[in-house]
Amino acid sequence: MEWLFGHKKTPAELLKENQRMLKKAMRELDREKMALERQETKTLLDIKKAAKAGQVDSAKIMAKDIVRTRRYIKKMVMMKTQIQAVSLKIQTLKSTNAMASAMKGVTKAMGRMNAQMNMPAIQKIMMEFEKQSEIMDMKQEMMDDTVDDVLGDEEDDEESELLVGQVLDELGLSLTGELASIPSAAAAPAAAEAVGPEADLQARLEQLRKD
């Protein structure tokens, strides 16, 4: 009927249809197998009855029927196994077809992305980015140097004062006893200042006496 309506089935639809047909065939084989097994059971009972009744010829004929029935059952089992193998192959083809369709879509998407990518423009952007990054790094280094120049002397003075203070503290602790026993250099000018006025007064007194 495809030619009448002008609709052509896709490979996926054909695979799905064949899969349904194979499953239906396996169900029919299972039904036939079960029917033959029931018939075999019934024939065995009939053979027992005939043997009890002494009907040996009838029992032999029915025994041949059981042999043929078992052969049919075995063939049906083999047919079902073959159908299952074919069904598995169809399922594999279906999965492969789905994977191929997915890969086709991905390939098209990748092709569009590659077509949209302008490599010269991207390289230019990356070069400009690298250039601007280097300029930014240079400016940052210059700013750091400037800040160090402005704040570096104060930091050095603070560190120097701290170091001198530590040294003086250590020297003061170690020389306290010695400095107590030795007259300081500052005491000499004081003594000289004390002697100077007395000498001046004495000189004036001598002058008055002479007058």
Side-chain angles (χ1 to χ4, degrees):
M1 298 296 289
E2 293 179 6
W3 60 271
L4 181 60
F5 296 100
H7 174 69
K8 186 177 181 180
K9 293 184 179 180
T10 62
E13 291 176 347
L14 291 173
L15 290 173
K16 189 175 181 180
E17 183 178 353
N18 291 328
Q19 193 80 358
R20 286 197 300 266
M21 292 173 61
L22 291 174
K23 289 181 179 179
K24 182 179 179 182
M26 285 189 288
R27 288 194 298 268
E28 291 178 354
L29 287 173
D30 286 334
R31 285 195 295 268
E32 292 293 332
K33 179 175 172 290
M34 292 175 64
L36 290 174
E37 288 175 350
R38 288 194 297 269
Q39 182 64 32
E40 179 184 354
T41 303
K42 183 177 180 299
T43 304
L44 284 172
L45 294 175
D46 292 339
I47 289 173
K48 291 178 181 180
K49 291 179 180 179
K52 290 179 181 180
Q55 299 175 358
V56 179
D57 293 336
S58 299
K60 289 180 179 180
I61 294 172
M62 287 187 287
K64 290 180 180 180
D65 290 338
I66 290 179
V67 172
R68 285 193 295 267
T69 300
R70 289 178 178 177
R71 287 178 182 174
Y72 292 149
I73 292 173
K74 185 177 180 180
K75 288 181 180 181
M76 288 181 180
V77 171
M78 293 177 64
M79 290 175 63
K80 182 180 178 181
T81 303
Q82 291 176 354
I83 291 174
Q84 286 176 341
V86 174
S87 177
L88 181 59
K89 289 181 180 180
I90 291 176
Q91 183 63 37
T92 303
L93 289 173
K94 185 178 179 181
S95 301
T96 304
N97 186 43
M99 183 180 66
S101 299
M103 291 180 66
K104 183 178 179 181
V106 172
T107 303
K108 288 183 179 179
M110 292 175 64
R112 294 193 189 99
M113 292 178 63
N114 289 329
Q116 292 176 0
M117 291 178 65
N118 189 349
M119 291 306 299
I122 293 175
Q123 290 178 351
K124 184 178 179 181
I125 292 171
M126 296 304 295
M127 292 174 65
E128 184 66 22
F129 174 80
E130 185 177 359
K131 178 181 177 181
Q132 295 299 328
S133 297
E134 291 179 355
I135 293 173
M136 184 176 293
D137 293 339
M138 292 174 62
K139 289 184 178 180
Q140 185 64 38
E141 290 179 1
M142 293 174 64
M143 291 177 64
D144 293 340
D145 293 340
T146 303
V147 172
D148 291 340
D149 292 339
V150 173
L151 302 178
D153 294 340
E154 295 181 359
E155 294 179 356
D156 293 342
D157 292 340
E158 291 178 359
E159 292 181 1
S160 299
E161 291 178 0
L162 180 61
L163 180 60
V164 172
Q166 292 176 353
V167 173
L168 291 177
D169 290 341
E170 292 178 0
L171 292 174
L173 292 173
S174 62
L175 297 177
T176 300
E178 298 178 3
L179 291 176
S181 60
I182 298 174
S184 63
E193 291 178 359
V195 174
E198 292 179 358
D200 188 25
L201 181 59
Q202 186 67 30
R204 289 181 182 181
L205 291 173
E206 291 295 334
Q207 186 67 30
L208 289 174
R209 288 174 184 175
K210 291 179 181 182
D211 294 342

